[in-house]
Amino acid sequence: MKPRRPLLFFLLPYGGVLLVFFAVASFNRAFIQERAESLVKEQLSASAEILKAGVRDLLEKNVPPQGILRGYAGAEEIYFMAVLDERLEILDWSSRFEGYLPFSRKDLPREEAWIIDSPAGRIYSVFKPLRTAEGKSYSLYLGISLRGLEDMLARSRRNQGFLFGILALAGLALFGGVFRLHRQSLARAEEAVVEREEKERLREISGFTAGIAHEIKNPLNSLALLNELMAKKAAPELAEHLALARDEIRKIAGIIDAFSSASKPLTLRRQSVRLAELVQGVRSSLLADAERKNVEILVDGKGDVQVEADRDLLTQALFNVVRNAVEATDRGWIRIRISRKRKGGVIQVEDTGRGIPDELAARLFEPFVSSKPQGLGVGLYLARKILTAHEGTIAAAPRPGGGAVMTLEIPGGPS
Amino acid sequence: MKKLAAGVGGAIVAALLGGPPPVSAVGQQAGFYDVDREVKIEGPVQDVRLEPRFENTQPFVVVKVEDKATGRTYTVEIAPAWFFDQDIHRGERLAVVGSLVSKAEASPVVMAREVQCRGETIRVRDRKGFPNWRGGAMRQGKRKRGPIT
């Protein structure tokens, strides 16, 4: 699946589901709102009837209309009320808001209740004519707050918005995660393909070099024997030339050995290895070369770090790394530092040499890659191969101030 | 839903029939804003006072204005002093739109909706008489420049 496809496959359907949810929730809320309003209005109408009966009762008991509402003015929900005579003149009135009685004779009489929008919220208004036993006609005008209903509806709207927001966020988080996982698996698949191709290429190279090595080794052995024979029988003035030939034959043999080592699969023989001893061994081997260049090899760090590893292979890996450092350093020093990391060990090789050329930085551990004109590009490749076989890592980084730092991490100390 | 409706209705019924005695409601010594009796007056201020107008509320700014068109002097109830923060002086010209709440020949009373003073129009009530100091101003804006409507 292409990276864009998940948008189509996940986000669009999810957006559709959200829309449907929103539409259904909105319709449902509108229905509930309508029903609630209807019920509230019925209740308010009934309350108005009770109030009307009370006022009529008072009027029939000859309580004067002026001041008749004083006893009814305490209800929080009643915003205003008024008693009118048959000519629609106000006889008594009260209001929660100073002087507010939204009343116009042009609109009256009205049989149906109506809603007034006011800054204090919607007001259920009703005009109720009433007639006393004596036959006198009055009207009761009432305004009752719908704030309770409005609060409930506002809460319902808020809840719906909140739920919708939560769903949208949860969905986005979920599909974001799915999308990321998908991209990661795609990247891993691509890496696996590249790795497989690389392995295939290396396998071919290994087969090829192994074949060449085998084909060269036999005649090279013969050549070495012949050279020795000639050295025994030749005139003394040829001895120097024959020694040079012997050295060159050995060099060719060394190259063939290096190629063979690089292409052979590794078999580990793990044992407990004290890193300090291993480092000292490598230092001793390269000390003469370093001193010739006036380069100091320093060792510091923990002396008691031990790992379970193949001693010979690990020695070879570290030897290759330190030899590289010696070759790259014309003056100054090389510092080998040992430390512990969780159960494993870390060896850092820091030098003050020429550093890593930018163009090689990414391919430093690939086979046959070298910055030296006469280098084979096998040493660091082999070091990485050994570290990988130990499930460890090797990394290179430039050293601030010049030079390079190689870090070898070897996991799994002795239990 | 039914619960809510029953709650709303029930509270009213309880208050009307058997509930606690009502608290003191807004009194009737002042009139209500009768939208059918809107008038417009304009003229010099003759007197400025602070007078109580409704129960349990702060005193109102009350001015007497001589209408230049009719020559009659009106008592104009504007708004509570804390809300109406204009400094009005005697002799200053004032234009008022409001409701005629008392037609008493001696001193008719007008409940102001809009007051224009020094070119500034101050709305103290909405068109149905809802007082802006009780929340109406939040929605409608208290002041503007230009003629009163």
Side-chain angles (χ1 to χ4, degrees):
Chain A
M1 205 187 291
K2 286 183 180 174
R4 273 189 165 190
R5 296 263 171 87
L7 284 174
L8 292 172
F9 278 93
F10 297 124
L11 283 184
L12 284 182
Y14 180 65
V17 168
L18 273 186
L19 272 179
V20 169
F21 166 79
F22 190 73
V24 169
S26 297
F27 283 132
N28 195 33
R29 198 168 52 76
F31 174 74
I32 290 173
Q33 179 173 341
E34 194 184 321
R35 291 285 301 142
E37 278 187 5
S38 164
L39 277 171
V40 167
K41 283 172 187 170
E42 279 175 27
Q43 287 289 332
L44 293 180
S45 178
S47 299
E49 282 296 333
I50 294 169
L51 189 58
K52 183 177 115 177
V55 169
R56 181 167 46 209
D57 189 44
L58 288 173
L59 289 168
E60 284 173 354
K61 285 176 182 165
N62 292 323
V63 176
Q66 290 76 17
I68 202 167
L69 297 178
R70 196 166 286 264
Y72 291 115
E76 278 288 319
E77 292 78 11
I78 299 178
Y79 273 3
F80 52 78
M81 57 203 299
V83 176
L84 299 88
D85 63 15
E86 55 197 349
R87 290 173 296 126
L88 299 180
E89 289 298 325
I90 302 276
L91 300 174
D92 191 21
W93 70 278
S94 75
S95 172
R96 293 226 150 259
F97 306 97
E98 297 91 328
Y100 180 58
L101 189 67
F103 167 82
S104 173
R105 288 161 197 83
K106 294 168 195 164
D107 299 336
L108 297 178
R110 290 173 81 151
E111 289 179 5
E112 292 291 322
W114 71 101
I115 304 290
I116 295 173
D117 276 318
S118 82
R122 293 195 305 157
I123 302 171
Y124 174 84
S125 303
V126 64
F127 187 80
K128 297 270 183 190
L130 62 95
R131 183 180 286 272
T132 61
E134 294 169 353
K136 285 187 178 174
S137 291
Y138 296 93
S139 300
L140 184 65
Y141 175 46
L142 269 176
I144 303 172
S145 168
L146 290 173
R147 179 159 278 182
L149 175 69
E150 287 181 338
D151 287 349
M152 186 198 74
L153 296 176
R155 197 162 54 240
S156 162
R157 273 194 299 274
R158 274 199 307 275
N159 288 347
Q160 185 187 338
F162 180 70
L163 190 60
F164 188 74
I166 291 283
L167 272 178
L169 283 179
L172 285 176
L174 176 70
F175 291 129
V178 168
F179 186 55
R180 191 177 297 168
L181 280 177
H182 175 72
R183 283 179 62 176
Q184 281 174 356
S185 72
L186 273 183
R188 271 200 294 273
E190 281 172 12
E191 275 173 21
V193 168
V194 170
E195 201 173 327
R196 198 170 58 242
E197 285 173 356
E198 182 69 7
K199 276 184 180 166
E200 183 65 22
R201 191 173 71 87
L202 287 177
R203 201 175 57 78
E204 284 174 10
I205 291 172
S206 298
F208 183 65
T209 49
I212 290 176
H214 182 259
E215 291 301 320
I216 291 175
K217 256 190 175 174
N218 288 337
L220 197 63
N221 282 339
S222 304
L223 203 59
L225 286 171
L226 197 59
N227 190 60
E228 271 183 40
L229 199 61
M230 282 172 69
K232 283 177 186 168
K233 293 185 176 177
E237 60 267 28
L238 290 175
E240 194 182 338
H241 298 293
L242 288 170
L244 186 63
R246 185 195 60 210
D247 288 347
E248 292 300 315
I249 288 168
R250 280 181 183 168
K251 203 182 279 181
I252 294 169
I255 292 170
I256 290 167
D257 283 345
F259 275 122
S260 299
S261 306
S263 56
K264 268 186 212 164
L266 298 177
T267 308
L268 301 185
R269 286 190 297 277
R270 287 185 189 266
Q271 55 187 299
S272 180
V273 177
R274 191 180 289 273
L275 292 185
E277 288 174 11
L278 188 132
V279 166
Q280 282 301 344
V282 170
R283 180 179 181 271
S284 302
S285 304
L286 291 164
L287 203 54
D289 290 346
E291 281 175 351
R292 259 199 304 279
K293 300 177 77 177
N294 208 19
V295 171
E296 206 177 350
I297 300 181
L298 309 165
V299 175
D300 58 36
K302 293 183 186 299
D304 58 343
V305 180
Q306 289 186 54
V307 294
E308 286 290 315
D310 187 309
R311 182 188 298 273
D312 294 338
L313 287 175
L314 205 53
T315 303
Q316 191 181 351
L318 183 63
F319 180 86
N320 290 353
V321 171
V322 180
R323 188 183 58 193
N324 248 39
V326 171
E327 287 171 357
T329 307
D330 297 323
R331 67 177 67 163
W333 46 262
I334 293 163
R335 187 187 303 277
I336 308 173
R337 188 178 287 124
I338 302 163
S339 59
R340 192 191 307 280
K341 187 174 180 184
R342 287 192 284 276
K343 285 187 173 179
V346 177
I347 303 173
Q348 267 195 335
V349 180
E350 188 179 355
D351 67 58
T352 55
R354 292 184 290 277
I356 305 161
D358 289 343
E359 65 274 13
L360 293 185
R363 301 166 49 229
L364 199 62
F365 296 102
E366 288 184 10
F368 315 123
V369 172
S370 175
S371 63
K372 299 181 290 278
Q374 290 170 351
L376 294 174
V378 172
L380 288 182
Y381 166 70
L382 199 56
R384 187 185 69 167
K385 189 172 172 179
I386 290 168
L387 265 296
T388 306
H390 282 87
E391 295 174 353
T393 59
I394 181 169
R399 177 182 167 274
V405 183
M406 304 288 282
T407 305
L408 290 74
E409 285 191 21
I410 311 111
S415 54
Chain B
M1 206 160 37
K2 279 187 176 176
K3 217 172 173 181
L4 174 86
V8 171
I12 295 168
V13 172
L16 298 178
L17 298 181
V23 293
S24 177
V26 176
Q28 276 78 53
Q29 71 272 36
F32 67 91
Y33 192 93
D34 191 337
V35 294
D36 294 338
R37 291 174 179 161
E38 271 209 344
V39 292
K40 182 176 179 180
I41 58 173
E42 190 172 356
V45 174
Q46 291 185 336
D47 193 17
V48 183
R49 286 182 189 175
L50 289 179
E51 288 180 6
R53 272 298 188 265
F54 296 91
E55 285 174 21
N56 304 321
T57 62
Q58 297 286 316
F60 268 52
V61 176
V62 179
V63 296
K64 285 193 184 298
V65 177
E66 185 185 346
D67 184 28
K68 66 178 179 184
T70 60
R72 293 183 71 192
T73 299
Y74 290 84
T75 300
V76 180
E77 301 170 1
I78 299 179
W82 63 264
F83 178 77
F84 189 78
D85 53 2
Q86 293 289 297
D87 201 10
I88 299 175
H89 303 281
R90 282 184 193 173
E92 206 166 7
R93 288 190 76 81
L94 215 62
V96 177
V97 170
S99 172
L100 191 62
V101 296
S102 163
K103 294 179 184 174
E105 198 61 38
S107 180
V109 178
V110 169
M111 192 177 278
R113 173 162 71 82
E114 287 186 4
V115 177
Q116 192 175 60
C117 176
R118 293 186 285 271
E120 189 174 20
T121 303
I122 301 132
R123 289 182 180 148
V124 293
R125 292 177 183 272
D126 72 6
R127 286 185 174 276
K128 288 179 180 169
F130 192 91
N132 279 357
W133 59 91
R134 300 290 294 267
M138 301 289 185
R139 291 187 181 186
Q140 299 174 22
K142 190 174 145 189
R143 293 191 164 88
K144 66 164 188 171
R145 288 263 166 196
I148 55 179
T149 53

